[in-house]
Amino acid sequence: MRPYTDDRPKPMVEIPGTGMPIIGHQLGWLAEEGVTDVVVSCGHLAEVLQDWLNSADLSVKVTTVVETEPLGRGGGLRYAAAHLPHPDRPWYATNGDIWTRFSLREMADFHTERDAVATLALARPRIPWGAVQTDGFGHITDFIEAPPTTYEINAGVYVFSPEFAGLLPERGDHERTTFPHLARERRLAGFPIPQGAYWRAIDTAKDLTEAAKELAALGR
């Protein structure tokens, strides 16, 4: 994401044409879905993100936390969860570098119905290359530009039950520890993002350009 992230953290990178950083879009979506309180975990250039949050006109109450030392993804999530205003209730979490819109309420219902400790949103992103279809004899029959992958991936949006925070490592990566443990116990659920809902990970400068084009086409 350089040079965009030379002077700001990734969530503060603006999607061209929208006049708003990624985190602004995320907070707006959370507010639309009925969220009232948000804890933002800050790291690289935390003060830039904190300054924007303090000056922005937001529809949610935001608390920021900054790790005094690197704790890893799982440790950082546990540290942030300790600042939740209602730790006895289920809570949402989202990565700071995705742009999406779908019903969090439906995802929460899905989570409850399956009595899960953690539920991951699942996406089928488009692969960045053209695909080739062949017949059983090896003849090429068609070309498909950037088709959706056949695999579902972790979309970076979650619903967690209150007990989840206590299962997180104090240091390290929960996707290598907590998630596999819950999966073995059948307490980890996967919610497919509804077909037609918008989702994109913002990992590169090209992703910013593509997101701007897609959002313009959607009239947002």
Side-chain angles (χ1 to χ4, degrees), residues 34 59 206:
S59 300
K206 183 178 180 181

Side-chain angles (χ1 to χ4, degrees), residues 81-157:
H83 296 79
L84 290 169
H86 305 289
D88 57 332
R89 301 180 188 174
W91 46 290
Y92 300 114
T94 179
N95 295 350
D97 57 357
I98 60 168
W99 206 130
T100 188
R101 283 291 189 281
F102 64 90
S103 174
L104 285 175
R105 293 176 176 88
E106 289 182 7
M107 185 176 175
D109 290 342
F110 181 97
H111 172 83
T112 300
E113 289 166 0
R114 281 146 187 82
D115 195 27
V117 174
T119 296
L120 287 61
L122 304 177
R124 291 185 185 272
R126 293 187 175 276
I127 63 174
W129 309 283
V132 175
Q133 282 188 336
T134 60
D135 61 19
F137 197 64
H139 294 119
I140 293 176
T141 59
D142 201 1
F143 295 89
I144 305 173
E145 185 62 30
T149 177
T150 57
Y151 292 98
E152 293 177 311
I153 67 164
N154 179 354
V157 180

Side-chain angles (χ1 to χ4, degrees), residues 127-206:
I127 63 174
W129 309 283
V132 175
Q133 282 188 336
T134 60
D135 61 19
F137 197 64
H139 294 119
I140 293 176
T141 59
D142 201 1
F143 295 89
I144 305 173
E145 185 62 30
T149 177
T150 57
Y151 292 98
E152 293 177 311
I153 67 164
N154 179 354
V157 180
Y158 313 89
V159 180
F160 296 134
S161 294
E163 65 188 278
F164 178 77
L167 301 176
L168 288 165
E170 294 188 3
R171 293 176 181 271
D173 189 345
H174 60 293
E175 294 193 10
R176 297 179 180 271
T177 55
T178 310
F179 280 174
H181 172 74
L182 290 174
R184 287 191 295 269
E185 295 189 345
R186 298 293 187 269
R187 296 194 295 165
L188 184 67
F191 173 78
I193 293 177
Q195 186 174 4
Y198 186 79
W199 180 88
R200 175 175 282 276
I202 309 295
D203 294 319
T204 67
K206 183 178 180 181

